[in-house]
Every structure is written in structure tokens, then in C-alpha cells.
Amino acid sequence: MDLNNSSGGVDVEVMDNLKEPLLKPLDIDNKDKRIRTVKFKIGDIECASCATTIESVLGKLDGIKSATVSPIEGQAAVNYIPVLINARKIKEAVEDAGFPVSEFPEQDVAVCRLRIKGMACTSCSESVECALRMVDGVKNAVVGLALEEAKVHFDPNLTDTSCIIQAIEDAGFGAELVSSGNDVSKLHLKLEGIDSPEDMTIVQSSVESVGGVSNVEVNLAEKKVTITYDSDLTGPRSLIRCIEEAGRESKVYQASLYVPPRPREAERKHEIQMYRNQFFLSCLFSVPIFLFSMVLPMLPPYGNWLDYKVHNMLTVGMLLRWILCTPVQFIVGRRFYVGSYHALRRRSANMDVLVALGTNVAYFYSVYIAIKAFALDKFEGQDFFETSSMLISFILLGKYLEVLAKGKTSDALAKLTDLAPDTAFLLSLDDDDNVISEIEISTQLIQKNDILKVAPGAKVPVDGIVVRGHSYVNESMITGEATPISKKLGDKVIGGTMNENGCLLVKATHVGSETALSQIVQLVEAAQLARAPVQKLADQISKFFVPTVVIVAFLTWLGWFIPGEFGLFPENWIPKGMDKFELALQFGISVLVVACPCALGLATPTAVMVATGKGASQGVLIKGGNALEKAHKVKTVVFDKTGTLTVGKPVVVNAVLFSSYSMEEFCAVSIATEANSEHPIAKSVVEHAKRLLKTFGSTEHVMEAKDFEVHTGAGVSGRVGEKMVLVGNKRLMRHNNVQVGPEVEKYVSEHENLARTCVLVAIDGKIAGSFAVTDPVKPEAARVISYLHSMNITSIMVTGDNWATAAAIAKEVGINKVYAETDPLGKADRIKELQMKGMAVAMVGDGINDSPALVAADVGMAIGAGTDVAIEAADIVLMKSNLEDVVTAIDLSRKTMSRIRLNYVWALGYNILGMPVAAGVLFPFTGIRLPPWLAGACMAASSLSVVCSSLLLQSYKKPLHIQSVSNGKFA
């Protein structure tokens, strides 16, 4: 419709209004000024004037956009700007006006992840946590030192991400938003044809009008737009089409994908480059200082010129060292001053404090010596300029190598992220499902319900369902399962897996952040951020470590200076060119530097990062350091039976009648009753009954069971026509007073001894027949139980199935202790009973009925093919549904905890051994002392050794896969 032609000319103001965004922000450049709405009930409103009074009171508050009060319903709806006012103040204002407030909404909890810059050790991460928790509205904050990230839970009504970032910056650290809770699906687009703010406004309003779009961020300068949307309601291609259709007449807008650089990768490259440049700059000055102070004086006559006097006793060598050391101390070493200032301002101490203290003592004492030499004609003293400059150089070298090594701790995660292909083939189908067109698009443009073609040798682009074709898909890159899996019509496929031979047509069901690959990455990232309980040791030590070191360093100086002044040790102990004060000072500085707690803070998080990443690459998802630590203590593993020890796909092997009902009628009522059940056994009964009906030449009658009811752990019931039908085990029959005769008892007993479950069907209070169902045992079950036994771990089975079947399965796999006929809460009770005996218990299960037990156990392990509820409740997810990974999870936990303990040995070992040597304990007997610059090298080496020690976990191999075949037990 042409507005100008239809009205004969439209007012300019009207046209301007049409260009306004539909969800008009207050300030396009300030995304934090978004409007929120809060609704609540107000009491004691007697008339319209009361409502007007409240609206007037609220309207006077800064930040209130609108306030509407209904005098009839006593309800208020207030639009406000969170940056200027919060919901709590709105409530207080209404109550101050004399009106009680009720049904006020509970506090929302939002989540954001932040990248933290400038953390050096555990005390830094503790300082950030403390600063975050001081922010009004922050519920919880966890800071990961190795990951250099923070995860913050906060009330968006009380604070926002900008306030949180400000709090971190006030504490002396840099902060950058990585993601917030509403970043479900984000699309980054580069725009063309945008020449003015008016064009950007038109684009913004067009996009905001699309259903499912929750936020639009525009950048006019770079002509970019970031759209947050709900993938169930819209998709990237629809949004791009919307932008292009927003163009009018001569204006043509175009949008193309823009892939922002990975923040962490870019940040790490910048950090590596920064430390490298600072180290080289430091070396530019420190190497000549080292030559002038330690090399050339030992090579006469080449070093004689350094002893020439400039004035009085100030030599050329001393002056050059002073000149060269100053930029290292104050320009290169500025970061230590800044870090120390912020640390001391927040009343804590970290590595920067120790380094700044040590280098300042060395530098300013050397300046004092130089000034004294310049002023006096008969003065001899030794400067420590080389100590200050070389100390800073070695620390920077250590940090540079540490950052390089830390980058490798998340290699496994980076490999997972890169599994998804860049492009996919999108098909268009007609009504008869014939392919009309085929185009290659970026995987970022895939929307739900798209039909995609996956050629042989290509990767599956996103999660979906096969709608045509048959092939074998290699899922090893995600699940660790080496054998390709057959995929046919209706089977699920995972994004990032490799299609081996056939061509598949796949319907996209999960895209973007919803794919299994993205979920795995998010889970592992969360796990790497979570703090293991063993980390508490480092946290507790770090609180008093630095102050203690400063005291010890001061006592070391006193311990050498005072005896020296009183002549309590021989003069020949003092090295040439030094006096007693200088010797004591060097010992004190060495103690300050060698005892730095950096390595202590890295001992746990680096190992957890590598272990969780390695576990994910092998199909074992570990949800955090807590689960990783607890798993190594496990002495008892409790297994569910169906779907865990067994395949979980029951098959009916026998059906028999115990009444005068025909097989057709028996099958029909069984199908009608069991059709509503999601239980695997119910599905197998329905499938077998349908096959029997076809065998008898009977057409399947569509019957519906009314009053359907699930009896947990026993079976189901319902009314089919006029008949009351019960389908389940003997417990269900007894509970409903159905007599189980000798003939039925014999049949049940015989089949239970063969590890078969008997499903009894009762019609109108009498047993009509039974189905014998078997669930094959997983081929690896027996060797897993045997291997656990070799690890001194007891295996127990807990199942809702009958005793005879449970005992037969347990005997087959090698389990000696069985709890059968146990309901879901009973499983959890059994777990608690074992825990009461002092056992650390792991529960392995797959179903909804295992969820209470998974939560109750010290470590819950969910089979990956199990239900979402079970996976959500578990601490560890076994993605391959392979029981071998129970062993892998426990063994990886043991190896990781062993590595963490070794890391503590490396970290504390340097301090325990280095501090006495630095303090001069060996000097009286051996003449060995640790110069401050060498102490700095040792401190840097301790951090590097801890990170490299953690990286050795990258070579972890699954225990069952490395066993020799010749032992006859293990693969």
C-alpha cells in the first residue's frame, strides 16, 4: 500500500512515527535502559481516588514509566527502568503511602557469565567473589581461576550486568560479559544499504515486530545487528528475509552472517602476546644488566671499564645498571604496582604484593647505595639492580609459559566445538515429498523443521530425525563409540557426527544452542567453572599465606642482620662486595619471591579443566569438580536393572492364556491398556500383541482404555469397554485382590528362573493370561562388574522387578547382592541405608524411577540414552549408554585426584623446600644461597610445572581398553 497515493500526501510527522521501532528502546546506544513490568496486589483500596493516589505516588518516582492501578481488582501494573529503580523500592513506596502490598512476585534469578582479567592467584579469585557478593541483588557467584571466568546468579530487579562489571572493576580487575541467561539463540548480522540512523531504526523496528524476537542490539558505526530470538518461533533465514523486505523503493537492505571472534580465544591470544612483549621488553634491559653485573666483571680486562668512577665512588657499571633497571621496575613492572594497589585496597595480598615488595626493596636499596656512592669518596657497597630487573623478567617468562600451557587445558573442549560442519544442504520438498531444490547454506542459517541432505562422508549439521534413507553414522567424536550405528527412518542423529556410506535426509529438530553438541560444551564449561571441594585447601592456605611470607621474610632479614652486627658468624661468610645488611636483605627478598602462592591456586582448577574436557571427548560428561572429586571415593556401585545392566529393549518370548478368553480378545484389551504406558516392557507387550493379532488374521481394533492409572513399580490399570483390566506383576494382582492360582504361579516361577519377567493380565478380577518378557543383558555388563571388583568396589543391583528375574540377571553378570521389587523411593532408601554404613555410593540408572536414587547417591550416573529427568538428576552422564564408562568415570576421577595431589606436592614442594634454602639454612654448611632472581625463576617454574602436570591427563586412556585380551576377562 502506497501511503502517499492513498491519502494524497501524508504528514511528515506521521511518516516519522511509522519509522519508529515497535519496541522502542529509550536509548539505542544504551541497552541497559530496558523497561520491565511488575504486577502485584494492593489492599485497602476503597475507591477510585485511592488508585489515583497510588498512581500519583509512583509517578513521582524516578525511573517509573507508567503505573496503572485497578480500584476494582486492587491490582497494579508498573513499567519501570531497572537501571533507575528496582521493584523493591516500588513496593516500599506503595506501603509508605499506607497501602499493604500482597502477591508481590518472587525475586527473579538471572545468570550471567563474565570473563575476568588480571587474576594471578587464588586470593585474586577470592577477592572477585567477595566483590561480587557485596553487590545488592547478587545471590551467588563462582569464580574460576584457571578458566578466568565468573558465573553470577543475580536478581535482575535489583541489579544488572553493568553494575556487576563495575563492582569487579572497582576491585581492580577487568571484566567482560560472555553471556547472559537469555542468550538462548543469538544471530549476528552484517548489514548493507544502511546509510543513516533512520535506516537502522527501520531495520530494528522490522526485526522487533517478528514473533519470537526478544532483543535487538544495533551498532550503527559498524553496521551490525545482534538478534536474540526463540528458535521455536522464528529462525535466522526468516530474520534475514525480514530485514531485506524492510527496504523500500530505492533503498535495498541486505544482511549477511557475521561471525564474531571467539572472545576467549581472542583474549588468550592478546594475553599471550602481552606477556611475550613485556618479557622481550624486560630482556632488552635485563640482559645488559646481567652482563654488566655478573659476566663482564669476571672477564678482565673486558670488564675493567665498568669500574671507572663517574663521581666519587659511583662507577660506570653502577650508573648503567641504574639507568637500565629503572624502566624495567616502573614501566614493565607497572602491572605489579597496579595489582598490589588494588589488592591492598581490598585488604588482601597476592602474588603482585610479594613481587612488588621484593623488587622495590632491591631497587630502592640499590638507589640508596648509588646515591651514597655518588656523595661519598670513601664508600663501598653492592647494588642489587640486577636482582630487581631479572626477577621481573623471570616472573614474566613464567607467566608467558603458564598462559601458553593453560591454553592447552581446554583443547578437548575446543575440539568438540569445532566438530559441527560449516555448511549444509537445504532441500525444498513439494506436497508429495519430491525434492524441488537443493541449496548449500551456512549451518548457522538452519531453522527447526528444515529438511537437510547428508551425503556419504559428510558430517550431520544439527540434531534431527531421519526422514528418508539408510546409512551408518560414526558417533565416536561425541559419544566415543567407535562402531558406526545404523540409522534409518525415524532414528535420531546428532550434529557433528559422521555419515559413513548412505545418503540421509534429516529433519532438523534442535538447532543453535539446543543441539547435543552445544549442550555438551555448555555442560563442560559449567563443570570447569565449578570449584572442587579439594580447592578449599588452597583457598584456606592463601588467606594467610602472603602475610605469613612477609613476616617470615622480615624475620629472615632480622635473623641474618642482627647476628651479623653482633659478630655471631664469621666475616668470611659474607660474599665479596657485600656487607652484613646486604646479605640479610638478599635472603629476605629471596624468601618473599620464592614463596609466591600462584601454583597453589592452579593445582585443582587446571586438573579439573583437563579431566572434564577429556571425559567429554570420551563420552563421559562430568558435571563439575564436586562430582569428579566424589567419584574417586566410591566403594559401592548400585545398578538399576532394566536399561542399565540390560539392553532396555524387552522382547516378549511367550504368551499364554489362563482363561476362556480368545487370544484375539486377550491381545486387544492388553493393547488398549498398555498403549498409554511409556514403560519399555509395556511397549514390547503392545508390539507382540499386535503381531499376534495379525497372525490370527484379525484386524486391529482401535480400543481406548478409560480411567487409566499407573501403579508405580507394579503395572497399569484401565477400563476397556465394560471390562476392568489390570496389567502388571503379582504385586499389582495382590493389591487388587486378584487370585493367582497354582497354574499361574508355576508358569511365573519357571520363567522367572530364566530371567524373564511375567506380565500378568487380569480381566474383571481374574487372571486371563500372561506375557513372558526377557530383556537381554548388555554384553559388557559382566566384565564391568568383574573389573569393579578388581578395583575393590562392590556392585549391588536394585530393581523394581521380581526377585527371581533379578536374581537370574545378577547371577549372569556376577552381582552377589540384590534388592528386588523396590519402588523408586525404596531405591533412594536403599542408597541412604548404604550411606549410613559409611559407604560412598554411586547409582547407575536410566529411567524416571531412578531419579530419586540418582539424587540420593553420592555420585549419580545416568545412562545417556535414558530419560531427560534422569540425566538432569545425575552428576555424571554416560553418553554412550555403555557400562564400561562407569569404570571410566571412577578411574578418571581417581587419576584426576591423584594428579591434583601431585600438583599440590609440586606447588607446596617448591615453597617447603625453597623457603628454607632462600632463608639461608644451607648457607652456613654448604655456602649455597638462592639469589632473588633465581628464586623468581623457581617461583615461575612451580606454576608452570603444575599446569604441565595437569596437561598430562590429556594422555588418559580408558582402563578397560588397555587391558590385555589374554587375561580372558577384559577387552
Side-chain angles (χ1 to χ4, degrees), residues 89 106 109 208 258 360 369 539 575 644 649 776 834 917 943 952:
K89 289 181 180 177
E106 291 295 321
V109 177
E208 287 176 336
Y258 159 68
N360 272 312
I369 293 293
D539 295 344
T644 303
K649 293 183 179 178
L834 293 168
V917 175
S943 295
L952 290 175

Side-chain angles (χ1 to χ4, degrees), residues 935-948:
C938 288
M939 184 270 285
S942 69
S943 295
L944 190 62
S945 63
V946 164
V947 177
C948 292

Side-chain angles (χ1 to χ4, degrees), residues 632-696:
H632 92 283
K633 300 175 183 176
V634 168
K635 291 297 178 185
T636 304
V637 178
V638 176
F639 291 92
D640 174 46
K641 181 180 77 70
T642 307
T644 303
L645 289 171
T646 62
V647 175
K649 293 183 179 178
V651 180
V652 176
V653 292
N654 184 265
V656 66
L657 293 172
F658 296 114
S659 65
S660 59
Y661 289 101
S662 66
M663 184 60 78
E664 291 93 328
E665 192 172 7
F666 171 70
C667 289
V669 296
S670 299
I671 292 169
T673 311
E674 288 281 60
N676 294 315
S677 176
E678 290 295 318
H679 198 283
I681 291 180
K683 291 180 179 179
S684 68
V685 167
V686 170
E687 287 176 10
H688 186 77
K690 286 179 179 179
R691 283 198 299 270
L692 281 177
L693 285 177
K694 288 181 181 178
T695 305
F696 287 108

Side-chain angles (χ1 to χ4, degrees), residues 472-745:
Y472 284 85
V473 175
N474 187 337
E475 298 183 342
S476 60
M477 59 276 291
I478 289 182
T479 66
E481 181 58 64
T483 309
I485 298 167
S486 173
K487 298 292 180 181
K488 57 185 182 303
L489 180 65
D491 287 343
K492 293 179 181 179
V493 287
I494 305 171
T497 56
M498 182 70 73
N499 183 23
E500 293 281 343
N501 43 24
C503 183
L504 296 175
L505 297 193
V506 175
K507 182 179 181 180
T509 56
H510 296 81
V511 297
S513 59
E514 298 176 358
T515 63
L517 193 59
S518 296
Q519 298 283 334
I520 291 166
V521 171
Q522 290 170 28
L523 194 64
V524 176
E525 283 181 337
Q528 291 179 346
L529 192 59
R531 186 172 296 180
V534 71
Q535 175 71 16
K536 290 178 183 175
L537 174 62
D539 295 344
Q540 289 168 354
I541 292 173
S542 68
K543 285 179 182 177
F544 59 85
F545 194 83
V546 173
T548 304
V549 168
V550 173
I551 293 169
V552 170
F554 180 71
L555 292 176
T556 300
W557 175 75
L558 283 179
W560 280 98
F561 177 64
I562 293 174
E565 286 295 311
F566 287 96
L568 298 180
F569 58 77
E571 290 285 337
N572 61 5
W573 280 15
I574 302 171
K576 188 179 178 182
M578 274 194 195
D579 61 21
K580 299 160 190 173
F581 178 84
E582 292 164 358
L583 179 66
L585 190 65
Q586 277 219 357
F587 283 128
I589 295 172
S590 295
V591 169
L592 270 180
V593 177
V594 81
C596 207
C598 294
L600 201 61
L602 294 170
T604 299
T606 51
V608 170
M609 280 180 71
V610 176
T612 49
K614 187 66 177 176
S617 68
Q618 298 199 354
V620 179
L621 286 184
I622 302 167
K623 297 183 182 179
N626 195 18
L628 192 65
E629 181 174 344
K630 283 182 178 178
H632 92 283
K633 300 175 183 176
V634 168
K635 291 297 178 185
T636 304
V637 178
V638 176
F639 291 92
D640 174 46
K641 181 180 77 70
T642 307
T644 303
L645 289 171
T646 62
V647 175
K649 293 183 179 178
V651 180
V652 176
V653 292
N654 184 265
V656 66
L657 293 172
F658 296 114
S659 65
S660 59
Y661 289 101
S662 66
M663 184 60 78
E664 291 93 328
E665 192 172 7
F666 171 70
C667 289
V669 296
S670 299
I671 292 169
T673 311
E674 288 281 60
N676 294 315
S677 176
E678 290 295 318
H679 198 283
I681 291 180
K683 291 180 179 179
S684 68
V685 167
V686 170
E687 287 176 10
H688 186 77
K690 286 179 179 179
R691 283 198 299 270
L692 281 177
L693 285 177
K694 288 181 181 178
T695 305
F696 287 108
S698 173
T699 57
E700 184 184 326
H701 296 288
V702 180
M703 302 174 71
E704 186 179 348
K706 297 178 180 178
D707 301 329
F708 177 79
E709 187 178 353
V710 176
H711 304 272
T712 308
V716 296
S717 65
R719 187 171 295 279
V720 181
E722 297 299 321
K723 301 180 180 71
M724 185 63 198
V725 183
L726 298 171
V727 184
N729 55 25
K730 285 192 293 184
R731 184 146 46 102
L732 179 66
M733 301 302 151
R734 283 197 297 267
H735 183 72
N736 288 276
N737 299 317
V738 176
Q739 293 295 321
V740 181
E743 184 185 5
V744 178
E745 286 281 11

Side-chain angles (χ1 to χ4, degrees), residues 361-393:
V361 168
Y363 178 82
F364 285 108
Y365 176 73
S366 301
V367 170
Y368 163 75
I369 293 293
I371 293 172
K372 207 168 180 181
F374 179 82
L376 302 176
D377 58 355
K378 291 182 180 179
F379 171 76
E380 287 188 9
Q382 177 68 38
D383 65 86
F384 292 150
F385 286 119
E386 80 284 350
T387 294
S388 168
S389 61
M390 290 178 65
L391 183 55
I392 289 173
S393 297

Side-chain angles (χ1 to χ4, degrees), residues 59-236:
K60 292 176 182 176
L61 297 176
D62 188 24
I64 300 294
K65 296 303 295 177
S66 66
T68 306
V69 179
S70 169
I72 299 172
E73 298 176 358
Q75 187 168 338
V78 184
N79 294 322
Y80 67 99
I81 304 170
V83 177
L84 303 177
I85 194 170
N86 57 50
R88 187 180 62 187
K89 289 181 180 177
I90 295 172
K91 179 185 176 184
E92 289 172 355
V94 175
E95 289 175 337
D96 289 344
F99 298 93
V101 174
S102 62
E103 296 185 22
F104 199 80
E106 291 295 321
Q107 291 177 331
D108 296 328
V109 177
V111 183
C112 69
R113 280 176 55 217
L114 302 159
R115 183 160 294 104
I116 312 295
K117 304 170 190 175
M119 292 193 299
C121 57
T122 307
S123 63
C124 294
S125 61
E126 280 192 340
S127 297
V128 175
E129 275 190 14
C130 183
L132 287 170
R133 286 178 179 146
M134 294 287 285
V135 176
D136 187 28
V138 169
K139 304 299 174 190
N140 188 34
V142 180
V143 179
L145 175 63
L147 205 60
E148 295 177 337
E149 284 190 6
K151 187 175 184 180
V152 185
H153 293 76
F154 63 96
D155 182 352
N157 293 317
L158 299 178
T159 188
D160 54 24
T161 52
S162 60
C163 294
I164 292 170
I165 289 172
Q166 187 62 48
I168 295 170
E169 291 174 347
D170 289 344
F173 300 92
E176 180 184 324
L177 184 67
V178 176
S179 67
S180 54
N182 60 352
D183 295 343
V184 180
S185 295
K186 267 196 171 184
L187 180 66
H188 303 274
L189 297 174
K190 183 86 172 173
L191 304 176
E192 292 179 22
I194 304 296
D195 301 320
S196 64
E198 183 182 282
D199 291 328
M200 188 63 86
T201 302
I202 292 170
V203 168
Q204 185 178 4
S205 63
S206 300
V207 174
E208 287 176 336
S209 67
V210 176
V213 172
S214 57
N215 185 43
V216 179
E217 297 173 21
V218 296
N219 186 328
L220 180 60
E222 297 184 11
K223 297 181 180 178
K224 292 173 184 173
V225 61
T226 301
I227 307 166
T228 304
Y229 63 95
D230 184 345
S231 60
D232 286 325
L233 301 175
T234 188

Side-chain angles (χ1 to χ4, degrees), residues 153 175 283 309 332 357 375 647 708 717 883 943 966:
H153 293 76
C283 285
K309 305 285 191 302
V332 179
L357 194 59
V647 175
F708 177 79
S717 65
L883 287 177
S943 295
S966 61

Side-chain angles (χ1 to χ4, degrees), residues 492 523 623 678 824 843-856 860-878:
K492 293 179 181 179
L523 194 64
K623 297 183 182 179
E678 290 295 318
M843 171 70 193
V844 186
D846 73 319
I848 291 174
N849 60 345
D850 297 323
S851 299
L854 289 170
V855 173
M861 299 187 188
I863 297 293
T867 64
D868 292 339
V869 176
I871 292 171
E872 193 67 32
D875 301 300
I876 297 174
V877 180
L878 312 179

